[in-house]
Amino acid sequence: MSARWSRSAALLLASAVALLASGCGIRGTSVPVDAGAAPSRASCRAPESERAAEGMSRVSVRIYLLCSSRVLSVSRTTRLGDGKTSQEPVRVAQALLEQLRLPPTAAEAAAGFTTAVEDWVEISGPAKDDPDNALRLSRPPEEIQSLALAQIVCTLADTTVAGDDGKVVLGGPDSQRDPLKAYQCTEEMRRNPMIAVNSGVLVS
């Protein structure tokens, strides 16, 4: 058999294989393709809060964490009141901020929750001449990551820390240079927390 005939037979065989592959719905490719792992989706379903140990005098609170570019509420337990009955709103704010700084629990992480509130973020009560419901952050709100600010605002909005209108009054550490602003946890902010940093309204 001549070399020319061998080449022709090889070409016919290759064509037949390609035809069979196309008939089976398989698209031919010249290079191997690694599709990688199958994509996973965060459920963003808030897990039940862990049961408090007996005798610990712990209560349930709600904080806002990040999931799929939104802020969503989850339930936690803490030793301090939930803001509805506590006599010291500043302590409530500090306890809730501490919860926001903690890493997500295993169940929260499995559902896709994260937090953007860093350890250095602290909160204190009103400065001299501030309204009674004002809170001072360790940095001006404009210098805090918008995602973290949205978490803070939405977490505090449903407590006695907020005013009757649900607005949270925040300012930076320097009462002379950092004006107070009122923030509101709107549906738009929960869907798009990136707007939080520019949503404050100056308090006169």
Side-chain angles (χ1 to χ4, degrees), residues 8-114:
S8 298
L11 287 172
L12 286 173
L13 180 59
S15 299
V17 171
L19 183 60
L20 287 173
S22 62
C24 294
I26 302 173
R27 180 175 297 176
T29 177
S30 58
V31 293
V33 175
D34 182 6
S40 61
R41 283 181 172 272
S43 70
C44 292
R45 293 180 181 174
E48 294 294 329
S49 60
E50 296 179 2
R51 185 176 180 180
E54 293 183 6
M56 293 289 287
S57 187
R58 294 166 69 93
V59 295
S60 177
V61 296
R62 299 201 71 80
I63 65 170
Y64 278 77
L65 298 178
L66 299 167
C67 192
S68 294
S69 302
R70 295 173 293 166
V71 288
L72 301 170
S73 66
V74 300
S75 180
R76 292 264 183 93
T77 56
T78 179
R79 288 186 177 87
L80 196 61
D82 62 359
K84 297 297 185 182
T85 58
S86 174
Q87 297 178 356
E88 299 183 47
V90 175
R91 288 188 62 198
V92 173
Q94 291 170 338
L96 292 173
L97 181 64
E98 181 181 0
Q99 290 293 319
L100 291 173
R101 290 194 302 245
L102 292 174
T105 66
E108 289 166 353
F113 288 95
T114 61

Side-chain angles (χ1 to χ4, degrees), residues 127 130 136-140 171-180:
D130 281 351
R136 293 281 176 177
L137 296 168
S138 50
R139 290 188 190 175
D174 191 334
S175 60
Q176 300 300 314
R177 295 188 304 174
D178 302 326
L180 294 171

Side-chain angles (χ1 to χ4, degrees), residues 182-200:
Y183 297 84
Q184 191 167 16
C185 180
T186 62
E187 179 63 29
E188 184 180 6
M189 183 184 292
R190 290 191 289 269
R191 290 197 312 265
N192 180 19
M194 291 301 296
I195 70 172
V197 72
N198 295 317
S199 67

